[in-house]
Amino acid sequence: MSDINKRLYIETVGCQMNVLDSEMVVAALKKHGYGLTQTPADADAVLFNTCSVREHAEEKAYNNLHRLKQLKLANPEMVIGVMGCMAQKDQQGIFDRVPFVDMVVGPGQLHRIPEMIAKVREGEKHQLAVSLSRRDGNTDDIKRSHETFDPLRDPQMRPSPAQAYLRIQIGCDKFCTYCIVPMTRGPEQGRPPHQIVAEAQELARQGAKEITLLGQTVNSYKWVDGERTTRLADLLEMLHPIDGIERIKFVTNYPKDMTRELLETVRDLPKCVPYLHVPAQSGSDNILKRMKRGYTTADYYGMMDRIGEILPGAAVSSDFIVGFCGETEEEFQMTVDMVRRCRFKNSFVFQYSVRPGTKGADLYADDIPEEVKHRRNLELLEVQNQISLEDNLPFLGKTVEVLVEGPSKWSVRKGQTGDLRQMTGRTRCDRILVWDGNMRQTGEILPVKVTDVFAFTMFGAVETKEVVPELVQLGI
Ligand code: SAH
Ligand code: SF4
Ligand code: F3S
């Protein structure tokens, strides 16, 4: 095979969907003889998996592409590809801006990457594979052009073999006015339940202990087969019996579809962890309306009450956009109040970035100055951090069950080598712990005693599970 011993450099930004897409592409190219390299200069193929959700992410992607120019001049054989949401959004425009890019592949066409690389290497430059846009045909054709790419799974391609993402839904039909995702990822489509279950069984055989079900609005998941409709709660029931899987999570949730039935299913299935990511976006009804989120703050507070009643102690996290078009100081303060009232485990806060092609860009002026957006961002995070710290404090001295993910970020930054490292893992409610541990703990579920807490991280010590032989001899 001509591709044997080739090296691939891949860089991924954006959401979990992109992380999973990269895993799939790497696994597919591995079958074609590609191995991974961490340095673009050593690569035969360079792929950027891009995100369009905010302008900043796109600018960075273009800057990174421009930076490859010298490498491409030195090695014209090097194949440079752009995949992901920016590929779908900018299409031919990417070749216009960066002419030495060889291929552009939207997230619905990833299966074509090996064939496209081969074509580029045969001299056919500027390969383009994108899905139909929302206005380019009938719904069925558009849907078919957005293909989910979930070939056989390869545990070596995952950052932590015990944890795996599993796509259950692609696309989005909610059309929030600020958001580009429905344009880049196409119509919402659930994957067939039997495929999802088969993939989960395969993941369990490969040693996955935790699976995270992925969808842009994962709890809106629906699969209709004749008379029978399968929803997320049904899927959880189907996945729960799989041996080896010990934790099941699902992201991202849409507030309106957080039904009582789903919450009760999570309560009744012990493998479903008490952690829910349900972005609120704003605490102001006026802003929510203009974002076309489809719920009011009263609905959201009602949902929080339902979660508190059915899953007491569950951790909830959220996303917020600050500085959306026309957001007044009072409206922003309503968001601050919402964070105070809901006491999220953590919140991701984003400054509004106008996205050409969205309804918001057409309808409203992006009229909040950058410094105001920035100040609101900091203020909201400060309130959230205080809450995160306060809510972590009760964990002090307690022992929690942690799924070990691997060496901590600090350990990687410090260049720690060998078996003894600072390790990291997550509790069932998604809180992050670090401790001085051993690389062989990776993938284990261990009891860890919490010794110190901060807003984002808790420190701890592994409690040994083994019975110490001397103590047995002493009869203790
Ligand atoms: N499907 C998920 C989120 C997808 S995008 C959901 O519906 O919750 C992730 C987050 O990016 C969103 O929750 C939102 O907070 C933020 N975001 C999306 N579009 C944005 C924009 N134009 N400017 C700033 N933040 C944005
Ligand atoms: Fe974007 Fe809204 Fe869809 Fe989430 S639900 S992906 S924010 S359009
Ligand atoms: Fe970004 Fe696309 Fe995900 S725009 S957030 S990579 S769906």
Side-chain angles (χ1 to χ4, degrees), residues 53-54 178 216 252 279 281 293 319 321 350-351 353 355:
V53 85
R54 281 168 291 275
Y178 52 81
Q216 293 298 345
T252 299
Q281 310 297 1
R293 282 289 284 179
D319 294 352
I321 296 177
F350 305 104
Q351 298 172 40
S353 165
R355 305 286 53 223

Side-chain angles (χ1 to χ4, degrees), residues 378-419:
L378 291 181
E379 188 177 334
L380 195 58
L381 275 181
E382 208 176 296
V383 174
Q384 174 61 60
N385 291 350
Q386 182 62 30
I387 290 166
S388 300
L389 175 62
E390 284 168 15
D391 288 356
N392 279 348
L393 280 170
F395 284 87
L396 254 183
K398 301 255 164 54
T399 297
V400 289
E401 183 198 286
V402 168
L403 172 61
V404 186
E405 297 185 353
S408 69
K409 282 190 192 143
W410 180 87
S411 166
V412 174
R413 221 174 29 244
K414 288 279 161 185
Q416 279 192 321
T417 52
D419 284 342

Side-chain angles (χ1 to χ4, degrees), residues 180-464:
I180 196 71
V181 173
M183 272 59 81
T184 60
R185 294 271 168 175
E188 180 185 319
Q189 305 182 66
R191 289 180 70 204
H194 69 271
Q195 265 183 27
I196 296 168
V197 172
E199 200 170 320
Q201 283 163 340
E202 172 70 18
L203 290 169
R205 267 194 300 278
Q206 293 174 356
K209 291 183 179 163
E210 175 185 276
I211 53 172
T212 303
L213 308 179
L214 294 189
Q216 293 298 345
T217 52
V218 73
N219 56 338
S220 320
Y221 171 86
K222 197 164 109 174
W223 176 261
V224 183
D225 187 7
E227 295 284 277
R228 211 186 132 72
T229 300
T230 308
R231 293 186 186 276
L232 178 59
D234 307 310
L235 259 190
L236 295 174
E237 302 261 6
M238 292 159 83
L239 296 170
H240 198 263
I242 298 175
D243 281 339
I245 304 279
E246 302 194 31
R247 290 182 177 188
I248 305 175
K249 294 190 200 176
F250 48 89
V251 290
T252 299
N253 291 285
Y254 189 61
K256 235 181 139 175
D257 292 325
M258 196 55 96
T259 59
R260 185 164 278 276
E261 187 204 358
L262 176 59
L263 293 170
E264 284 170 355
T265 306
V266 171
R267 177 194 64 197
D268 296 341
L269 297 176
K271 291 181 185 176
C272 293
V273 295
Y275 163 63
L276 301 166
H277 182 60
V278 204
Q281 310 297 1
S282 170
S284 144
D285 282 325
N286 186 28
I287 296 287
L288 285 177
K289 201 164 164 192
R290 286 193 295 132
M291 288 177 163
K292 208 170 143 287
R293 282 289 284 179
Y295 54 85
T296 61
T297 52
D299 294 333
Y300 195 91
Y301 288 127
M303 177 201 77
M304 288 301 290
D305 289 344
R306 214 152 56 232
I307 295 174
E309 176 204 331
I310 301 170
L311 292 170
V316 179
S317 59
S318 181
D319 294 352
F320 288 98
I321 296 177
V322 293
F324 185 64
C325 316
E327 183 188 64
T328 63
E329 200 54 36
E330 293 71 51
E331 285 165 344
F332 168 66
Q333 287 307 324
M334 290 176 182
T335 300
V336 176
D337 285 346
M338 176 176 261
V339 168
R340 288 217 173 90
R341 193 161 148 190
C342 296
R343 298 194 75 84
F344 298 108
K345 174 181 76 72
N346 65 293
S347 291
F348 298 95
V349 181
F350 305 104
Q351 298 172 40
Y352 174 60
S353 165
V354 61
R355 305 286 53 223
T358 59
K359 268 264 170 341
D362 290 345
L363 293 176
Y364 314 116
D366 177 20
D367 55 359
I368 305 300
E370 288 305 306
E371 61 274 16
V372 175
K373 288 180 183 173
H374 186 65
R375 200 246 310 138
R376 289 180 185 168
N377 189 343
L378 291 181
E379 188 177 334
L380 195 58
L381 275 181
E382 208 176 296
V383 174
Q384 174 61 60
N385 291 350
Q386 182 62 30
I387 290 166
S388 300
L389 175 62
E390 284 168 15
D391 288 356
N392 279 348
L393 280 170
F395 284 87
L396 254 183
K398 301 255 164 54
T399 297
V400 289
E401 183 198 286
V402 168
L403 172 61
V404 186
E405 297 185 353
S408 69
K409 282 190 192 143
W410 180 87
S411 166
V412 174
R413 221 174 29 244
K414 288 279 161 185
Q416 279 192 321
T417 52
D419 284 342
L420 300 181
R421 306 262 189 109
Q422 188 189 64
M423 303 296 288
T424 187
R426 278 175 203 257
T427 64
R428 281 168 55 83
C429 57
D430 203 56
R431 287 182 163 86
I432 300 170
L433 262 113
V434 297
W435 65 93
D436 289 329
N438 195 310
M439 282 298 279
R440 71 174 138 74
Q441 295 167 333
T442 305
E444 298 285 316
I445 292 181
L446 296 174
V448 179
K449 185 167 184 173
V450 178
T451 53
D452 203 356
V453 299
F454 295 86
F456 299 117
T457 321
M458 308 202 278
F459 284 73
V462 170
E463 301 225 301
T464 172

Side-chain angles (χ1 to χ4, degrees), residues 18-62:
N18 267 10
V19 174
L20 182 54
D21 284 342
S22 288
E23 179 193 324
M24 300 292 180
V25 167
V26 171
L29 285 174
K30 208 176 142 205
K31 287 214 184 88
H32 287 259
Y34 276 85
L36 279 179
T37 170
Q38 305 300 324
T39 7
D42 293 340
D44 301 285
V46 173
L47 289 177
F48 282 155
N49 195 358
T50 55
C51 172
S52 284
V53 85
R54 281 168 291 275
E55 189 183 3
H56 179 66
E58 294 191 332
E59 284 313 316
K60 225 169 135 189
Y62 278 112

